[in-house]
Amino acid sequence: MEKIKFGIIGLGRLGIKHAENIAFRTPGAELTAVCALEEDVIEKVKKEWGVKYGYTSYDDMIQNKELDAIFICSPSAHHCEQISKALDAGYHVFSEKPLGVSLEECRLAEKAVEKHPDKVFMLGFMRRFDPSYMYAKQKIKEGAIGKPILFRGYSVDPVSAIEGAIRFAAHSGGQYLDMAVHDIDLARWFLESEAKTCYAIGGCYAFEEFAQYEDGDNCSALMQFKNDTMAFFLAGRTAAHGYNVETEIIGTKGTLRIAGIPQKNHVEILDQHGVRRECSQNFLERFEQAYVNELHAFVDCIRNGTKPDVSVYDGTKFNYYCLCSNRIFPQ
Amino acid sequence: MEKIKFGIIGLGRLGIKHAENIAFRTPGAELTAVCALEEDVIEKVKKEWGVKYGYTSYDDMIQNKELDAIFICSPSAHHCEQISKALDAGYHVFSEKPLGVSLEECRLAEKAVEKHPDKVFMLGFMRRFDPSYMYAKQKIKEGAIGKPILFRGYSVDPVSAIEGAIRFAAHSGGQYLDMAVHDIDLARWFLESEAKTCYAIGGCYAFEEFAQYEDGDNCSALMQFKNDTMAFFLAGRTAAHGYNVETEIIGTKGTLRIAGIPQKNHVEILDQHGVRRECSQNFLERFEQAYVNELHAFVDCIRNGTKPDVSVYDGTKFNYYCLCSNRIFPQ
Amino acid sequence: MEKIKFGIIGLGRLGIKHAENIAFRTPGAELTAVCALEEDVIEKVKKEWGVKYGYTSYDDMIQNKELDAIFICSPSAHHCEQISKALDAGYHVFSEKPLGVSLEECRLAEKAVEKHPDKVFMLGFMRRFDPSYMYAKQKIKEGAIGKPILFRGYSVDPVSAIEGAIRFAAHSGGQYLDMAVHDIDLARWFLESEAKTCYAIGGCYAFEEFAQYEDGDNCSALMQFKNDTMAFFLAGRTAAHGYNVETEIIGTKGTLRIAGIPQKNHVEILDQHGVRRECSQNFLERFEQAYVNELHAFVDCIRNGTKPDVSVYDGTKFNYYCLCSNRIFPQ
Amino acid sequence: MEKIKFGIIGLGRLGIKHAENIAFRTPGAELTAVCALEEDVIEKVKKEWGVKYGYTSYDDMIQNKELDAIFICSPSAHHCEQISKALDAGYHVFSEKPLGVSLEECRLAEKAVEKHPDKVFMLGFMRRFDPSYMYAKQKIKEGAIGKPILFRGYSVDPVSAIEGAIRFAAHSGGQYLDMAVHDIDLARWFLESEAKTCYAIGGCYAFEEFAQYEDGDNCSALMQFKNDTMAFFLAGRTAAHGYNVETEIIGTKGTLRIAGIPQKNHVEILDQHGVRRECSQNFLERFEQAYVNELHAFVDCIRNGTKPDVSVYDGTKFNYYCLCSNRIFPQ
């Protein structure tokens, strides 16, 4: 069977990981082209991994007819335009989240996807592909916890990453766009409904630097969904113990918790600090397998002509939610 | 040293436990009188525990000049009146929470306490006397987690107790008055501030029976306090695993969790269900020691002429909070 | 009902705790007399707790005919003689473990007990009265883990107590007599059989000071019991995290673990060290309730004319086991 | 860079996993040939994975000069002979454990490895490549627990696999050869010494069927090593909760535990059974990543001309240990 030939745009910290996963961890996939601004990175990847083509121009890459699929890991502001171009050029497209930075461009991306129903489009809501989240979803489908009542999602970055967060604060979309994007998607996925009301609060508790951007270092929100279920979110930047992504789904007959302790591995330490677990320190460590699994799912969809679980509309929804702090959502 | 002689009103499930603690687990205390509607219970206690006096009338009991202190464990609607009467009659008073069922009567109780500054008045916010909560409070004082950011309090009753809850629903003050009373007190205690805004939601997810009383089986609330800290509450009645009282205080430098797993004891079971902990099934099991400790503190205050950590105003505050769903608190 | 009047000998760290439990935590018991070498301690207890009699001579105390029961918490070398004297003088007797320091004197204690079948004699194997061990025993009785296969018992003191252990080493009976006494009793209790073979090893891994007494700072033993079950013991003095008493019973259908994490309370800490539990630091902290429960059981036996679960023969057995390292036990 | 071309012998349950790892999860490796008795399996793999060559004869495969390395996953009795043949034919060799079934043939394998110092030979002690064991080893190197005192290794198969174990019992080398092989290797690796004495016991506690082969369903052993450290092993077949591979290294300054709870993933379930973790059910689930990592290490050694951490002598040692129950090891 022919391999699916990928071209990727964006070779930053996450992009290089995706490239590596395409090249070495996805049976049936081949990393055929890379596109980035940094020529030295392109050369390095071509040489060390045997990648055939390198580009500094996205428009050039999407004229390469050897390719089957385009993987987009560029800055968020370019996603929608690059998605449309790639689909129009005849490729399957995988884009990192978020779909876009405004509702308007998300709508344009939706149109592009609708125009090419024969092409697979998938958005990188990778947590849905983490083995633990998949297991939790399956448990719920099987009725293990009855009907969901409340979703609780924490996404708190380690304080060790605070310098970068402060530097990036001016250009970020705020705590919500950066940190809660996955939790909002997970809430919709687990609760199987959309929010009808939202109340959001927060502040600068440790780092006043965020105040000038009308942002905070920790914020939280409580939503009620149309099916009456509830969702509580905490997005923060000051976890001392590590990368704290913790999820709870409380149901009428049971509760599931995912990574209540974000343990790094199976090692428990007993020493002068007590009995303890060291924690994952970043998303690449915690979600290594999820990034691999989402690629497998994308390739499977291309092979089998099926649609991914994550649609373009899931991407738009997030931007919609971000506009709706402390208000009633328009129906 | 002379023992403090107690008279207690109310010998229900919790009252009988308090009576037992006074009689047998509080050095320096003596259970001298009991008052209840059920004459057989009075006789039983007098005979088996050697209690000197039994009453069916509260007014009679508080004329017994042998007594030093009155312990009130009657229905909530009687608390305020009984507190005033006992203080006026010259006794130290310990009352179960809540202080009262309306803000007005709470104000009257405040006045009664203010009128007798030489008497000790204490309200039964017993969680503050649980060894784990005391330990957490001490840790925070020592700076272990920096400044608090968010308080999360769950109080979920086991679903095994649902029948009683439904029967009692017509006469209850709702989820909040029943279940969140301790969490609201804990939030105020840990965050050291008062709420300025509140947003509360909820519903009937498993038991429609609560709807007729405009109540739900699970409800949650998100508050912001005057010092900008946040508090999230969940009060529910449908926990499958047991009596789930779980508290988290997230700070700028660390986080404390109390009873994230409400484990019954130190036993871990490995069997066909996995590796598991069985859980406490009710408040008497979980907070056995807290009920003892609060009595010790009360007796110490009487002995030493000091004031309890829990004041009459803490009692009023709770009723105030209950009136304030989805609104901005008046300053 | 008349209270059981206790006289206690020995007011060291543990003795004073027992005295306090008799005085204030045991319904139906009264601390009537204390006996110790230190006159100031006697005076303090008489005054502060209202104890009626104080003695510096054991022989004097056991002539006090007001007393019903004698509690022995003196140095181990005196236990057997004091037990015999108290029984002969007509008292019920509770003795701290071990029963004695030689098999011969244990046999004499057995004879004394046999001579007074109307008197209650109980030995302080208090772990059997710890709520978690009691729960585990009950679970096994109910068949929760099938038939036991292997017992694993760790008793490791915190390294913070090492100085005292070294000072005491010359006079101690070694790791086994000091540390494994409870584990050997628990193994016999859970496995319901006696050892047939034993293999024991150990050494000085951190503190060479023990070598001069032919002792070690950590030692372990593997035994096979007559019913073919197995038992593994670790006794040590170098735990960094606290007082590590951990027990496991592996059965044909399940496994129970008691205090795999010797957690101090319900507080979990998330900070720069990871997610952690602080631990109990000594036996008084870990087994506070067990010391109370064993007293309750003793008083119940006196009241009801029943025999304690722990017999004088359980005491002798331990000394027997101590003689039998690396050998086949005589049948 | 040219890919390392692998031929594999043995396509059973584990062999097919290794083949898949070579084909799809090892950058720089290619699955070029497979050898098995089952022609349909060969055809399936050739077709579905695009494998170039298929053989039913090992001797034929090792004449294929396209190959660089042979991976041996055949029955244990063939390992040594196949290792020698492959090395003599000029290939790098990776063999599943155990090295062989007798000390004599292990010695022959050692000779073959010594004869070809330019070839990489590696034995599949894969636990050394599990991320958690690697992390523990690194921690110990850094001094996190001081000097090791005791190693405890449990390897207990789920009782759900008992039928196969009974069927296989006649041909197995017993509990030790089957179950303790990894633990003995780990003990040697962590304690950095060799055993000097051993005491082993066991029995049939749940399944009498093993008795006829002079084997048991659970057995344990206690060893002392030449550097005085201790090692306790439990090998069993009756775990109700899953595949229980648990390791503990107790040191003078701390303790490490690996997989004390053999949790399947990050999901915690709160339901009528309590608060619980479901467990891994077999070695492929628990050690998926270790099997990948050992292959990466093997390929790295070939690329870089280095020697693996696991030598042929580590393989022989295990067989030596198996001969030495209840005896003093010859020096």
Side-chain angles (χ1 to χ4, degrees), chain C residues 162-182:
Chain C
I162 195 69
E163 280 187 36
I166 291 171
R167 254 198 324 270
F168 186 63
H171 312 287
S172 113
Q175 290 291 336
Y176 250 44
L177 270 174
D178 275 18
M179 299 293 299
V181 50
H182 286 296

Side-chain angles (χ1 to χ4, degrees), chain A residues 144-213:
Chain A
I145 63 164
K147 285 189 300 177
I149 294 172
L150 178 104
F151 169 96
R152 174 170 64 90
Y154 284 9
S155 286
V156 187
D157 259 6
V159 72
S160 59
I162 195 69
E163 280 188 37
I166 291 172
R167 254 199 326 272
F168 185 63
H171 312 288
S172 113
Q175 289 293 334
Y176 249 45
L177 269 173
D178 275 17
M179 298 294 299
V181 51
H182 286 296
D183 281 319
I184 287 174
D185 184 61
L186 287 177
R188 297 176 55 248
W189 192 48
F190 280 118
L191 300 179
E192 298 188 343
S193 183
E194 303 292 341
K196 62 180 180 193
T197 64
C198 177
Y199 170 71
I201 53 180
C204 294
Y205 302 89
F207 297 95
E208 281 299 326
E209 292 89 333
F210 292 100
Q212 59 187 302
Y213 310 109

Side-chain angles (χ1 to χ4, degrees), chain A residues 11 34-46 54-56:
Chain A
L11 291 176
V34 297
C35 178
L37 296 177
E38 309 81 358
E39 296 200 22
D40 55 333
V41 177
I42 295 172
E43 284 316 303
K44 194 168 183 294
V45 168
K46 285 179 68 176
Y55 300 93
T56 51

Side-chain angles (χ1 to χ4, degrees), chain C residues 194-251:
Chain C
E194 303 291 340
K196 63 181 179 192
T197 64
C198 176
Y199 171 71
I201 55 180
C204 294
Y205 301 91
F207 297 95
E208 281 300 326
E209 292 89 333
F210 292 100
Q212 57 188 305
Y213 310 111
E214 293 184 11
D215 204 356
D217 53 33
N218 282 273
C219 62
S220 70
L222 179 59
M223 293 183 191
Q224 188 154 33
F225 278 55
K226 290 177 187 173
N227 62 0
D228 278 346
T229 57
M230 304 178 275
F232 175 67
F233 303 93
L234 173 68
R237 300 207 177 274
T238 55
H241 59 294
Y243 175 64
N244 189 32
V245 170
E246 172 183 352
T247 306
E248 182 176 42
I249 307 109
I250 299 177

Side-chain angles (χ1 to χ4, degrees), chain B residues 186-321:
Chain B
L186 287 177
R188 296 176 54 248
W189 191 50
F190 281 118
L191 300 179
E192 299 188 343
S193 183
E194 302 292 341
K196 61 180 181 193
T197 63
C198 177
Y199 170 71
I201 53 179
C204 294
Y205 301 90
F207 296 96
E208 282 299 327
E209 292 89 334
F210 292 99
Q212 58 188 305
Y213 310 110
E214 292 184 13
D215 203 357
D217 52 34
N218 282 273
C219 61
S220 70
L222 180 58
M223 294 183 189
Q224 189 155 34
F225 279 54
K226 291 177 185 170
N227 62 1
D228 278 346
T229 56
M230 305 179 275
F232 176 66
F233 303 92
L234 173 67
R237 299 207 178 273
T238 54
H241 60 295
Y243 175 64
N244 189 31
V245 170
E246 173 183 352
T247 304
E248 182 176 41
I249 307 111
I250 298 178
T252 51
K253 295 193 181 310
T255 289
L256 298 180
R257 285 184 190 153
I258 299 121
I261 296 172
Q263 61 186 60
K264 188 193 257 324
N265 51 35
H266 287 284
V267 180
E268 189 170 58
I269 305 172
L270 296 79
D271 64 8
Q272 71 274 23
H273 303 299
V275 177
R276 63 196 178 97
R277 294 287 190 142
E278 292 182 332
C279 298
S280 292
Q281 292 301 315
N282 59 63
F283 61 96
L284 289 177
E285 183 178 7
R286 169 63 183 87
F287 289 110
E288 184 172 22
Q289 192 59 43
Y291 284 113
V292 172
N293 290 352
E294 67 175 3
L295 262 172
H296 289 205
F298 181 60
V299 167
D300 282 352
C301 285
I302 296 175
R303 288 250 183 268
N304 305 324
T306 51
K307 291 286 171 198
D309 184 41
V310 191
S311 75
V312 68
Y313 308 105
D314 291 316
T316 308
K317 277 291 174 193
F318 169 67
N319 288 68
Y320 177 69
Y321 276 59

